[in-house]
Every structure is written in C-alpha cells, then in structure tokens.
C-alpha cells in the first residue's frame, strides 16, 4: 500500500475504535488503489481518499417498544449515510443482534462501490438495529418496525435516502416500515423504500434479484474459463433470501446444489436441494434447516462443522460476513473449487481471498457479485417515479444485462491494470473511480 493510503488507513483505525469490520472493508478497497492514486494526482490533491472513508452523516437513535408481555424493550437504531456523490443514499437495513456502528459502517462503505458498479445513480448507505427478530411474534415485529420508523422517517426520502432490506428485514418488515412512514408523513411516497409488496409499488423480481444475480455473475466467470453453470456441483451457505434464490437460479441453469445452512447447522442433500420444501420451511414457516432435514429423506444435517468441507466446483457464500476463513478456503481449494462468488457482504476473510487468488480460483467479491439486489432496487425506484411497472421477465432480463455489464467492467478494469482475472481489483477500481470523479466534479463537500 502506498504510504499515503497507509496514512489514511492508520487514521481510520485510530478514529474508529472497536470497528474491525469497517477497518477490514476499508483495507480491502485500499489494497487495490495504489495504481489509481499514482495515475490520478487530482485524487490526491482533493483528498478524495480521506473524504471517502468519512461518512457524510451517521445517525444513532433509541428504539423503545413494548413486547407481548407488556415490558418495555430498548434497542439501538442506526443509519449511516456514507456517500451521495452518485445519487441518494441507498442500502438496506439489517436487524440482527450483532449489529453495531462498525458493522453498519462496513456495510455502508461496501455499498458505495457496489452501487457505483450498478451504473444506476445511487449513493451508498446502510442502517439497522441490534433488534433480534428471532422468536418474536408478528405483533412485536410490527411494533418494533413502527418504533424504528418513528425516528428514521426524518432522515429518509425518495431524493435523500432510500432504505431496503438486508438480514432480518424482508417483505413483512418493509411493509410495516412503509405503513408507518406513510402515517407519519401523510405521503404515499413509494420511492422512499424498496423491496415493497408488488401491489403497492414493489418491483417484480426484487425478491429473487440478489440470488439470481450472484449465479448469473458466477456463470459469466465460468464462461471466461470456457465453462458454464450447467453440470456444476454447488455449495451454498445460508438459507435466507439470497441463498434461496441462488439455489433456484443455479438449478434453473442445470447445476446441482448440495447444501444450505443456518445457525442450526448445514444440510447435505446429494440429490440436490428440494427448493419447494426449502421455501416452505424458511419462507412460510420461518423455520430452521433442521426442519428441512426431518422432512427430506436422504438429506442429512451436520452440526458444528463447516459447509466448505463439502466438495464442490462452485461455492456461493450467502450467509454473512467473515463466514469463510482460511480453513474453509483451504478445504475448498483442496477439493477442486473453480469459482467462488459472494452472495453475502464480505463473507470471505482477507486470508481466504488471498488463498483463492494464489490458487487461481476465480473469486467474485460481493460488491460485484451480489449487486443485482440493489440494482433491482434502483429499477423499483424507476418504476415508482414513472408509475409504470415492469413485468417479471422485463426485470429479470434487465438484471441479466446489469450483471453482464458489471462482470465486463470488473474484468476489463482488471485487464487494464495488468491483473487479468482479478475481480477484486477490477471491482474496487471501477467502483471507486466513478465515485471519485463525481466527488471531484462536485467540489469539496
Ligand atoms: N441489502 C442489500 C445489499 O446488501 C440490498 C440493498 C438495497 O436494495 O438497497 O446490497
């Protein structure tokens, strides 16, 4: 890393105590930037690097609500409005007990470059709460969402900041959040949130978009090696929205998906995951993958192990940050993995990424490979603005084009900088340059 990048990085560590995930996300981007900074003295002159690591605004707030037993609960809410150079802040809300400011900042920072790669005019932001939805009744979820929006509504808007879902926030939560926003503002301002229900302004295909996009991206990566998804043996981690639709798309393209996972363990299903059963268990019953195994003859549950020990040719980490470490990476490489594409945000640790790259495994970082979700959110915003809904197949064909272009941009940027096949470098540089140029043109703000 150039000394000036190192200086800014050291300062990030000093000024953002106890936020290791944020440090990690910054480092991952900075490690790609030496050649860009050398080539563009104007970035240096206008302190683009120091400015880009500082969120434009960070909001933290109390979320008090009453649970089913009548007790008052207090959670903490966050919204980090990181960068608006390319458009309104855009990014999901995460409800999970692990959420803290550092987690939201890492996600918001990643979102800047991801959103830039989509080519859709959206800035970067992220939010959420340490609220744990697990085991909460529908009424509790609704009251929590209403309490959360009671503060958040002051800070968002279709031209300001447009939240969506992430871990723990799906269609149900977006419904409650939107209802409360509308009640508080007396505005049917549909473009203020994405991931809405289709009858009230949601986009067809938004639910599927992230998972579909990851598989389309992996397919393009395979094509560069003269292969395709068809016939691949795929390991998926996670069993939330991203994982489910990654399984669906991979199967549609003729691959066999043999695993999914959650905190109860991982499923191995050699015959290929039964998608209908998986959807029933996870989406309808909100159950565990252990419930899947109980109802699926021939499948088995492995508790306490690593899904990465299951041999495969394509690995799609779709659960959460830092779920795939160097042990996992070594096991995957040993078993002959050819492509790893990240459905989650930063699921691979830096040493895992290094192992993939030095072993010539094609590695697609989340900010490129999982950008289909937020790109489709941008399509939802466009539909809300024009009041002209798209059909499912219009959305999915646009999604395919977007993923194709992101892949192309990453691949050609990596080539331009003398590192063909390095999607990390390609995604970071292509994502960064667009934001940096916009910041230059907009002056010191
Ligand atoms: N949470 C998703 C992401 O990580 C989607 C964000 C959005 O649609 O705004 O990109």
């Amino acid at each position: 890393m150039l000394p000036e990048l190192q200086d800014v990085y050291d300062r990030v560590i000093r000024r953002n105590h106890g936020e290791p995930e944020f440090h990690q996300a910054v480092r991952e981007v900075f490690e790609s930037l030496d050649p860009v900074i050398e080539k563009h003295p104007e970035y240096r002159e206008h302190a683009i690097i120091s400015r880009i690591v500082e969120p434009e605004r960070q909001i933290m707030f109390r979320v008090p609500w009453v649970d089913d037993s009548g007790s008052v609960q207090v959670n903490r809410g966050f919204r980090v409005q990181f960068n608006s150079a390319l458009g309104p802040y855009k990014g999901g809300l995460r409800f999970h007990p692990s959420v803290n400011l550092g987690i939201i900042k890492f996600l918001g920072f990643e979102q800047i470059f991801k959103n830039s790669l989509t080519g859709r005019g959206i800035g970067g932001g992220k939010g959420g709460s340490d609220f744990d939805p697990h085991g909460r009744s529908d009424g509790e979820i609704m009251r929590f969402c209403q309490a959360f929006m009671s503060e958040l509504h002051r800070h968002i808007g279709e031209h300001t900041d447009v939240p969506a879902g992430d871990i723990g926030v799906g269609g149900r939560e977006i419904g409650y959040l939107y209802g409360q926003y509308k009640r508080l503002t007396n505005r049917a301002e549909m473009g203020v949130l994405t991931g809405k229900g289709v009858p009230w302004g949601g986009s067809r295909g938004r639910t599927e978009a992230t998972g579909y996009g990851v598989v389309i991206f992996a397919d393009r990566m395979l094509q560069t090696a003269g292969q395709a998804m068809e016939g691949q043996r795929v390991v998926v981690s996670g069993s939330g929205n991203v994982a489910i639709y990654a399984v669906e798309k991979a199967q549609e393209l003729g691959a066999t998906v043999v695993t999914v996972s959650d905190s109860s363990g991982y499923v191995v299903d050699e015959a290929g995951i039964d998608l209908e059963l998986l959807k029933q268990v996870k989406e309808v019953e909100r159950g565990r993958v252990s419930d899947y195994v109980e109802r699926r003859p021939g499948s088995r549950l492995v508790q306490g192990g690593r899904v990465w020990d299951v041999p495969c040719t394509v690995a799609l980490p779709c659960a959460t940050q830092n779920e795939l470490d160097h042990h996992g990476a070594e096991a995957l490489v040993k078993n002959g993995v050819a492509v790893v594409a990240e459905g989650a945000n930063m699921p691979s640790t830096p040493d895992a990424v290094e192992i993939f790259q030095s072993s010539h495994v094609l590695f697609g970082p989340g900010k490129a490979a999982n950008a289909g979700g937020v790109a489709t959110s941008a399509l939802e915003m466009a539909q809300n603005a024009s009041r002209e809904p798209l059909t499912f197949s219009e959305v999915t064909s646009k999604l395919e084009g977007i993923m194709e272009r992101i892949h192309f941009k990453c691949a050609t940027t990596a080539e331009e900088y003398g590192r063909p096949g390095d999607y990390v470098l390609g995604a970071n540089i292509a994502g960064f340059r667009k934001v940096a140029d916009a910041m230059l043109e907009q002056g010191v703000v």
Side-chain angles (χ1 to χ4, degrees), residues 380-398:
E380 183 170 332
M381 291 161 73
Q383 293 169 78
N384 294 148
S386 68
R387 299 185 184 277
E388 182 140 353
L390 300 172
T391 65
F392 183 80
S393 67
E394 284 169 334
V395 172
T396 50
S397 83
K398 279 180 192 288

Side-chain angles (χ1 to χ4, degrees), residues 227-285:
Q227 297 184 53
M229 274 309 279
E230 189 172 2
Q232 303 292 332
R233 187 180 148 94
V234 182
V235 159
V236 169
S237 67
S239 52
N241 173 259
V242 179
I244 289 172
Y245 292 95
V247 173
E248 183 162 295
K249 191 60 165 185
Q251 291 182 343
E252 210 179 286
L253 295 183
T256 305
V257 184
V258 290
T259 65
V260 285
S261 69
D262 64 18
S263 52
S264 70
Y266 69 85
V267 172
V268 182
D269 192 341
E270 289 293 341
I273 295 293
D274 178 340
L275 191 63
E276 284 319 302
L277 178 59
L278 181 66
K279 285 184 180 175
Q280 173 66 27
V281 167
K282 298 300 291 196
E283 291 185 327
V284 181
E285 299 167 18

Side-chain angles (χ1 to χ4, degrees), residues 158 162 178 188-198 200-203 376-390:
E158 64 181 330
V162 182
Y178 180 71
E189 182 192 335
M190 287 162 156
V192 70
L193 289 169
T194 60
K196 299 180 295 294
V198 172
W200 41 279
S203 176
T376 306
S377 279
L379 298 179
E380 183 170 332
M381 291 161 73
Q383 293 169 78
N384 294 148
S386 68
R387 299 185 184 277
E388 182 140 353
L390 300 172

Side-chain angles (χ1 to χ4, degrees), residues 79 89-94 107 110-111 114-115 122-123 125-126 162-167 169 193-195 206 210 242 343-345 366-367 370-378 380-381:
R79 187 72 184 169
Y89 309 107
K90 181 84 197 85
L93 298 170
R94 177 177 292 191
L107 291 163
E110 289 261 309
Q111 202 83 41
K114 183 197 307 199
N115 293 4
I122 38 179
K126 203 86 185 192
V162 182
D166 195 81
I167 294 172
V169 178
L193 289 169
T194 60
R206 173 62 187 91
T210 313
V242 179
N345 290 315
K367 58 173 84 71
N370 74 32
V374 74
T376 306
S377 279
E380 183 170 332
M381 291 161 73

Side-chain angles (χ1 to χ4, degrees), residues 43-61:
Y43 293 162
R44 190 177 291 161
E45 228 168 277
H46 295 265
I48 296 294
I49 295 294
S50 312
R51 282 195 278 149
I52 213 166
V53 295
E54 191 67 23
E56 290 176 14
R57 191 174 298 106
Q58 310 185 50
I59 301 143
M60 280 172 71
F61 49 98

